[in-house]
Each structure stands twice: as structure tokens, then as C-alpha cells.
Amino acid sequence: MRKVILYTAVSLDGFIAGPDDDLNWLTDPENPNPDPNEYGYLDFLETIGTTLMGYKTYRIILAMGEPFPYTGKENFVFSRKDHPADGNPVRFISGDLPAFVGQLKQQPGRDIWLVGGGQINGLLLEAGLIDQMILTYVPAVLGSGIRLFGDFSGYSRFSLQKTELLSGSMVQLIYQKNET
């Protein structure tokens, strides 16, 4: 069975974006142009066959002005509204997100990257569909913004598998879902 992996950067106070979707806090002043694989990103990307993201996250990615970064992958963008094809290699999905992701996990292939955002992260956590989390903590406190798991208020338990100190005082933690 394929794993759903939440791989993201997070602030010390649990935000994945600041107010107004601000991502400037992700720029590390000690290492402004890191090697793309310095944090294991390229190695991780090789293990992924599918990406999942919300429409707001998708729009933020496109607003960065670069070509869509996940070509060669099966990409799903979740939205409450229908959207016409826009030329990028994505499929827009509405409806029952947990049921859709549960079916994806049963299909053969590489693992599934939960790109985000907070609402989708919380919904899939609540449904018990996140198998692993790779969280890179950036030494910044934002105070407000988009929470890692949106409005999730339930309970879920994971086990720490690995910690790694990265350049610029960032820490990467890898958690595995506890089997119940």
C-alpha cells in the first residue's frame, strides 16, 4: 500500500504560512541559496508518484512565477468549486477527499506527497490517512497565519523516527503513524 507523507516546513509555533499566505519566513538568512537536496528534497521527490494539494496552495505555487514544479507526477488539486483545465499537469477534484485519498493509497505506485495546506492536512489527519510526516522546523515564530493542521482539534499519535539538524538552525523531524 502506498503511504501518504506530509512533507512541509513549519514555524516554531505551528504555522505553514504567515498572515496573507506570507512565505518570506522560509528564506534562511544564513543560507539564502541552499543546494536543492541539502534538506533531502530531491531524494524525497524521487520516492513520490502523486501529489495532493488544496487549491489555495496550488495558487501560491503558481504565483511564485516558476513553471509548475511537479511535472512527471500525478497531481491532484482539491477544491470546493470546479475549475477548468489551466495547462498544468493537474486534475481538479471536488467531493469526498478522504474517500478519494483512501482509494489512491490502494493503487500501485510510488508514495503520495501531501503538499498541503492546513485544511487538507487536518482533514486527512482526522481520517487517519497520513502515514508519515517529515516536518522541517524553521526557527521563526509567526504568531498567526495558516496552521499546520488547520482547525483540527482531534487526537492522533505518531512516533518519532529520526531527527536531523540542518543548516541555518533548522531541524527536520520524521514521524511515523502509530498503528492502533
Side-chain angles (χ1 to χ4, degrees):
M1 181 182 317
R2 300 163 75 186
K3 294 187 300 187
V4 171
I5 303 168
L6 172 59
Y7 178 97
T8 193
V10 63
S11 69
L12 293 176
D13 52 349
F15 293 98
I16 55 175
D20 300 319
D21 305 321
D22 178 35
L23 298 176
N24 289 327
W25 60 278
L26 291 171
T27 305
D28 181 357
E30 296 176 33
N31 191 12
N33 297 306
D35 173 349
N37 204 38
E38 184 172 356
Y39 310 128
Y41 173 75
L42 295 177
D43 291 338
F44 170 75
L45 202 55
E46 285 297 313
T47 70
I48 298 301
T50 303
T51 69
L52 308 174
M53 66 193 82
Y55 187 72
K56 190 173 182 180
T57 299
Y58 176 65
R59 299 303 309 164
I60 291 169
I61 290 169
L62 294 181
M64 291 179 182
E66 301 289 326
F68 185 73
Y70 312 124
T71 57
K73 310 285 182 200
E74 185 177 37
N75 302 289
F76 296 100
V77 175
F78 298 97
S79 177
R80 292 181 188 98
K81 301 176 187 174
D82 290 330
H83 297 279
D86 64 3
N88 288 309
V90 302
R91 283 186 39 210
F92 296 101
I93 305 293
S94 60
D96 187 341
L97 174 62
F100 182 84
V101 173
Q103 290 174 354
L104 274 180
K105 287 180 69 163
Q106 300 302 318
Q107 296 174 3
R110 293 188 205 157
D111 288 333
I112 301 165
W113 177 12
L114 175 55
V115 178
Q119 288 181 328
I120 288 175
N121 295 349
L123 185 61
L124 293 182
L125 181 66
E126 184 175 343
L129 292 169
I130 298 176
D131 301 294
Q132 185 179 53
M133 289 189 266
I134 303 172
L135 306 176
T136 302
Y137 280 88
V138 176
V141 176
L142 305 181
S144 64
I146 299 173
R147 294 203 168 277
L148 177 60
F149 295 109
D151 295 329
F152 176 76
S153 61
Y155 179 81
S156 189
R157 191 92 176 147
F158 285 74
S159 296
L160 181 64
Q161 300 295 304
K162 181 180 176 185
T163 62
E164 184 175 355
L165 178 62
L166 305 175
S167 67
S169 302
M170 291 187 282
V171 177
Q172 190 171 78
L173 305 174
I174 300 177
Y175 291 98
Q176 197 71 32
K177 178 179 166 184
N178 283 355
E179 298 302 318
T180 56

